[in-house]
Every structure is written in structure tokens, then in C-alpha cells.
Amino acid sequence: MARQPKITFIGAGSTVFMKNIIGDVLQRPSLSGATIALMDLNPQRLEESEIVAGKLVKTLGAKATIETHSSQRKALEGADFVVVAFQIGGYEPCTVTDFEVPKKYGLRQTIADTLGVGGVMRGLRTVPHLWKICEDMMAICPDAILLQYVNPMAINTWAIAEKYPLIKQVGLCHSVQGTAFELARDLEIPLEEIRYRAAGINHMAFYLKFEHRKADGSYRDLYPDLVRGYREGRFPKPSHWNPRCPNKVRYEMLTRLGYFVTESSEHFAEYTPYFIKDGRPDLIEKFGIPLDEYPKRCIEQIERWKGQAAAYRSAETIEVEESHEYASSIMNSVWTGEPSVIYGNVRNNGCITSLPENCAAEVPCLVDASGVQPTFIGALPPQLTALIRTNINVQELTVQALMTENREHLYHAAMMDPHTAAELDLDQIWSLVDDLLAAHRDWIPEWARVSKKVRAA
């Protein structure tokens, strides 16, 4: 019998996400006999994930084998694919810290997991753990592909490529395909009739083309329809998943830049200096900006999980729906050679010629038996390049801090952040970083720790 793949899931206690990925995997004939190794440090969450995974296998009649591990190295033995999904420090205490400490300085955020002081701190907490996974992979399964689902995606991908360039990695997000679905819904056009091409960095990629395939096989640019719908007040349509998050910021930026960004308006509002401003409640109201959105989601998800966990324990079978994640598509293409195209975060390496060679770019990638192969984009429109560079500055300095263990660069990263710099002066920024480093002391590398104010005001 042909060898079956081994899929290792690090952070398997993210049970709902694990369920989506494993559900997708088990529905693919080439992967349905896989060995699935679940690893997590939280024994209760690991047990819950084992129960869910086992019931998925039963529901689908798959021949997969489920293993559980508390040892990362043991879980990685013989792995062909390594899926990573975790949040260092969790909602409490670390996410709460990332929101509450900046608020003392008047700095308000929406998501704080990608950029800004929240994103910098999350990267500082997360990258060392990803590096440890890479170290173990190099020793145990050097040919495995790392499918990385952890934020801050761009900082993580960049840092892995810098320290472990031989690791075969791709950072995966669902913003490109998710936003395409939202826009198709606004336009009332079936998604399968839309052709698009996007590129940039994670959470700030743009649709360079967004077109409708007509009956005669030709294509029509949909951007004029999107702009017209927004100006006439028809778009965005009310959110189908979260009424707190209307999509007005991205539509407004479409009218200014000429292109639509792939990550949500609540994210985009804090990647730029235009929308969250002290003394400007009119902007918050006009664009429907959901301040403190991520903590609210965390609380809702924690509460929802209590009911879900009990339901999964008592259920005989678990309903499986195909998700929109790329993981199973990548695994299937690598394992069978059947080609597919995904959007992945990889070292730029000249794919986008107007961005730095070593940054983490999000581009279309061909996947087949040779692995994940990024495609060439060329130069982005100059206004998109300029805006993206403002975010790359923060990412680059955070990665430099991690690579050189130079704490100064964490302050520099915060200084360069568009939203932080628009709200705070230099003394406030440095003092805020001091406070965050002190608050996160137990969760960050020793070189980055401060126990008291190290800067005079």
C-alpha cells in the first residue's frame, strides 16, 4: 500500500480551527488515510481536539489515524506537513494587555494582532516559539512543509525566512478569498464568475484585477461598479457575519487609491493614520469603526466554545462543511502533483519588484509536487507601494529587534507605526513601549524585558 502522509498540528487546542482544517483534509481521497498528530501543551484542550478529530474520522468514514502528543519533537517525527496555529499569552493576559496599556495613553485599537504596538508585542511573544518549531523541524523533519496560520503573519514569515531560510514555509490567511466572497455578495454576482489577482503583504494586499466573466467569455472590470455602489450608498451591504463591522473604511480607500484591499475594514482602520483620531468621534461614527473589536470577539468565542465543547463530547457524529482555508489544497497538490493556485505569504525574492527583496509578500502561488511556488507580479501601482511600505517599516524593525536582540528597534518599530505616530509624541511612544515590555515580562525573551521605566520622560 502507498505511504500515507503525516500531518502534525502544533497548537491543536485551537479546536474549532483544527476541526476546519482536518475536516477539509479528510474529505480529500489522497489524504483521508493520513496520520494526524495533534500537539498542544494544554491537556484539556488537547483531549477536546482528540474527541473532535476522532468523530470527524467516524463521520466521514475515513481511515485516518489520530495521535496526541504533549512533546513537540515527538509529534514532528515523520511529518510531511506541519500546521501551526496558536496564540502565545492568549486572550488573558496578553491580548488584554495589548489593548489596555495603550488606552492609558489615549491610543485606541481595533484588532491589534498585526501592526501597531499590539502587533509588535505579539510578534515579540510569538516568533521565538515559531523559531523553536523550525529548529525541531530542521532536526527531525527537514523536508516537511510548514503551513503557518499565526499572527502577526508578515512579521512571523519574515522572521522565519531570516533565521531558518531552509524551512519550506508558507503563511496562510483567508482574507483574499474571504473578501472576494464579500464583494461578490455586494455586487450580486456569483463568485465563480469573478476573476481576480491580488498582491501585496498580508492584510494589505490589493486586488490588482477584479473582473466579471461575461457570457461571451470576455471580462469586464468591476471596479467602476464598486465605486458607484459606494457613492450611491448601496455598498457595503449590511454585514452578514458581524453587525459591529461595516465595510466602509475599505470602500472609502478604494475611492482614494483606485484598488480594494483584501483585509477587513476593522483591520485597515489601524494600519493607516486616517480613521482613528483623538477628538474625532465623527470619524468613528461615519466609518463605523469598531474599537476594541478583537477583545469582544475573544470573549464571545470563549463563551461560545463552552457550549460547543459540551455538544461535541455528546455528539455521535460531527457535521463537516468545507472551509475556505488553503491547507488541504496545498497538501493534496504536494502529495498527488495535482496543481492548484493559492494565495500565500512567502519571502518576496523579487516577486513584487517595488517592495524589499526580504520582506514577506502575499502573492498567488502555484502548488504541485514541487511545493509552493510563488508567481511573479512586478511593480505595484506607486500609491499602493507607498502605503504598504509604511507597514513594512514596522515589520522590518520588529524582525531586526528579534534577529539582533536589540531592544532599541522595538521602540523604533512603534515610532514608525502610522497609527501610533499619528496619535502619540515620541516621549509617549517610548514610555508606552516600556510599559508594554514590563507588562509582558513573563511572555517575551529575556533581552527585551524591562522591570521599570528605562527612559526619562
Side-chain angles (χ1 to χ4, degrees):
M1 192 173 92
R3 185 173 82 85
Q4 299 297 307
K6 179 173 178 181
I7 301 162
T8 297
F9 208 114
I10 306 291
S14 303
T15 308
V16 174
F17 184 73
M18 181 280 304
K19 170 186 172 286
N20 291 339
I21 299 294
I22 302 305
D24 289 348
V25 162
L26 296 178
Q27 291 179 79
R28 292 186 180 268
S30 65
L31 307 174
S32 63
T35 295
I36 297 167
L38 305 177
M39 182 268 162
D40 202 278
L41 294 175
N42 183 321
Q44 180 186 337
R45 294 303 297 265
L46 185 59
E47 186 212 5
E48 290 168 347
S49 290
E50 182 182 20
I51 290 169
V52 170
K55 290 182 179 180
L56 287 173
V57 171
K58 181 180 176 183
T59 300
L60 293 166
K63 292 185 168 64
T65 301
I66 307 298
E67 303 175 349
T68 59
H69 299 274
S70 57
S71 163
Q72 182 169 287
R73 284 204 157 209
K74 194 74 178 167
L76 289 170
E77 286 178 4
D80 299 290
F81 305 99
V82 179
V83 182
V84 182
F86 56 68
Q87 182 183 344
I88 301 299
Y91 165 63
E92 289 183 312
C94 287
T95 293
V96 171
T97 298
D98 283 341
F99 276 84
E100 294 305 315
V101 173
K103 268 189 204 170
K104 294 175 184 174
Y105 291 82
L107 184 64
R108 300 165 298 167
Q109 300 170 101
T110 56
I111 306 292
D113 71 351
T114 297
L115 212 72
V117 289
V120 171
M121 292 297 137
R122 193 163 172 141
L124 184 61
R125 298 194 300 270
T126 304
V127 166
H129 292 269
L130 289 170
W131 278 347
K132 185 64 173 71
I133 293 170
C134 293
E135 180 186 338
D136 287 349
M137 286 178 66
M138 291 302 297
I140 294 166
C141 54
D143 294 325
I145 296 177
L146 178 65
L147 284 67
Q148 199 262 110
Y149 276 99
V150 185
N151 279 323
M153 178 69 65
I155 287 171
N156 295 341
T157 304
W158 192 331
I160 290 170
E162 287 291 313
K163 188 153 186 171
Y164 291 95
L166 296 181
I167 287 284
K168 301 171 184 174
Q169 64 147 334
V170 59
L172 298 169
C173 185
H174 45 245
S175 59
V176 174
Q177 64 271 42
T179 293
F181 172 83
E182 287 183 73
L183 293 180
R185 177 177 164 271
D186 280 359
L187 291 161
E188 297 182 4
I189 294 173
L191 183 58
E192 57 270 20
E193 294 179 14
I194 291 176
R195 176 175 75 173
Y196 59 81
R197 184 168 174 80
I201 59 173
N202 182 240
H203 288 185
M204 200 182 272
F206 292 85
Y207 294 106
L208 305 177
K209 288 184 178 178
F210 203 80
E211 302 169 320
H212 184 207
R213 187 179 68 251
K214 298 193 289 186
D216 65 1
S218 62
Y219 285 86
R220 179 175 67 87
D221 181 11
L222 288 170
Y223 270 140
D225 293 13
L226 290 171
V227 172
R228 190 180 313 112
Y230 176 61
R231 287 186 167 147
E232 292 174 359
R234 293 182 287 111
F235 302 161
K237 291 182 178 174
S239 173
H240 66 290
W241 74 281
N242 187 342
R244 291 193 300 263
C245 300
N247 208 8
K248 295 178 181 177
V249 167
R250 291 195 288 175
Y251 270 100
E252 182 67 20
M253 290 301 286
L254 166 64
T255 69
R256 312 291 180 156
L257 296 171
Y259 296 88
F260 205 92
V261 75
T262 55
E263 186 47 79
S264 65
S265 286
E266 56 269 26
H267 275 275
F268 203 61
E270 65 181 10
Y271 303 159
T272 58
Y274 314 121
F275 297 99
I276 305 172
K277 289 182 172 293
D278 185 38
R280 293 296 307 274
D282 56 308
L283 292 174
I284 305 298
E285 177 69 25
K286 178 180 179 181
F287 294 107
I289 296 175
L291 297 169
D292 296 328
E293 172 60 21
Y294 188 58
K296 290 172 186 169
R297 287 184 199 175
C298 289
I299 292 167
E300 290 168 354
Q301 286 166 355
I302 291 166
E303 196 55 40
R304 191 162 56 241
W305 173 244
K306 292 176 185 175
Q308 283 179 323
Y312 286 147
R313 278 183 181 276
S314 60
E316 281 295 309
T317 58
I318 294 176
E319 184 179 344
V320 184
E321 293 181 6
E322 188 178 349
S323 82
H324 298 289
E325 305 294 351
Y326 288 129
S328 71
S329 174
I330 293 170
M331 295 176 196
N332 180 69
S333 291
V334 171
W335 200 251
T336 66
E338 177 188 339
S340 64
V341 174
I342 60 106
Y343 277 84
N345 293 270
V346 295
R347 191 179 194 274
N348 185 23
N349 288 343
C351 290
I352 302 176
T353 54
S354 54
L355 298 182
E357 187 86 0
N358 61 341
C359 79
E362 188 166 75
V363 295
C365 300
L366 168 69
V367 191
D368 60 17
S370 295
V372 178
Q373 300 155 81
T375 61
F376 179 77
I377 295 295
L380 298 176
Q383 71 275 28
L384 303 186
T385 295
L387 190 60
I388 289 169
R389 278 178 181 157
T390 67
N391 282 219
I392 285 178
N393 290 337
V394 182
Q395 297 161 6
E396 181 170 32
L397 285 160
T398 306
V399 172
Q400 278 295 307
L402 286 153
M403 288 295 295
T404 62
E405 299 189 354
N406 181 348
R407 193 171 62 211
E408 296 269 305
H409 289 325
L410 298 171
Y411 299 87
H412 299 153
M415 284 170 58
M416 298 301 158
D417 177 63
H419 174 46
T420 304
E423 295 285 276
L424 306 183
D425 66 31
L426 285 169
D427 286 340
Q428 289 174 311
I429 292 170
W430 284 60
S431 180
L432 169 56
V433 173
D434 285 343
D435 288 353
L436 283 166
L437 294 176
H440 284 308
R441 179 179 176 79
D442 295 338
W443 297 96
I444 60 176
E446 194 169 341
W447 59 264
R449 295 174 187 173
V450 295
S451 56
K452 58 183 179 179
K453 289 286 179 71
V454 294
R455 301 275 163 194

